[in-house]
Amino acid sequence: MTPAATSDVRELALAVFAANGRLVSAGNELVAHLGLTSAWWQVLAALRYAPGPLAVAAIARNMGLTRQAVQRIVDLLADQGLVDFRDNPHHRRAKLVVLTPAGADAVAGAEQAVAPIDRAIAEGIGAARIRDAIATLHQMVALISERLDQPPSPLPSDEKDA
């Protein structure tokens, strides 16, 4: 890989960090009147768009967050009546998290609050570039995961005793 390509990858990472920071701060501003934070909204949206109930670990994995961080948020959401827990037929202790009607209303309210910005982004960037960006970010996540989620290579037997 050329130094320019490596520089482009670093610039992409920095742009993702900046976009994430701005998305979080804008989200906090736009959903505060609903009693939500960006973090709460992220978890609620993850549940809203999942094909079914999810365990906390699955939510965390899908969002790239720690299980502990998501558990804290889910517990707060449950205290607010926005999510509920169901038995998990695949794991006795890991309950499934589901949106309550109030949680579904909160997600709908958040989406309504950000709709003008969504429209401005769609109009300013265009659908094709947005789809390309989504594909690029999915591929980036897959490549990072492929590299980091592999177990370390074992040492050759003569190096184990060194």
Side-chain angles (χ1 to χ4, degrees):
M1 180 169 14
T2 67
T6 303
S7 177
D8 289 344
V9 171
R10 188 59 33 231
E11 192 171 338
L12 174 61
L14 292 172
V16 168
F17 294 154
N20 180 64
R22 191 60 189 115
L23 281 169
V24 169
S25 65
N28 283 333
E29 290 174 36
L30 293 168
V31 300
H33 72 282
L34 299 168
L36 299 175
T37 66
S38 283
W40 288 23
W41 176 26
Q42 283 179 306
V43 172
L44 292 170
L47 292 167
R48 160 70 178 86
Y49 292 102
L54 297 172
V56 168
I59 298 169
R61 211 173 17 258
N62 294 346
M63 296 175 63
L65 299 172
T66 66
R67 186 197 57 73
Q68 294 85 350
V70 173
Q71 185 67 61
R72 281 193 300 276
I73 293 168
V74 165
D75 289 342
L76 292 168
L77 293 171
D79 289 345
Q80 297 296 315
L82 301 175
V83 299
D84 204 358
F85 300 100
R86 296 222 174 107
D87 287 336
N88 184 344
H90 305 291
H91 195 289
R92 284 187 319 183
R93 292 187 312 177
K95 298 285 187 191
L96 296 174
V97 185
V98 295
L99 282 178
T100 63
D105 289 347
V107 172
E111 289 176 349
Q112 191 173 29
V114 301
I117 290 180
D118 288 349
R119 282 192 294 278
I121 291 169
E123 291 169 7
I125 295 175
R129 287 182 61 208
I130 290 170
R131 285 191 299 271
D132 287 345
I134 292 166
T136 298
L137 292 173
H138 282 305
Q139 190 171 12
M140 187 176 172
V141 168
L143 288 165
I144 292 168
S145 297
E146 180 181 301
R147 291 287 186 144
L148 295 180
D149 295 346
Q150 293 179 5
S153 301
L155 292 173
S157 60
D158 60 335
E159 292 184 26
K160 287 181 186 172
D161 300 325

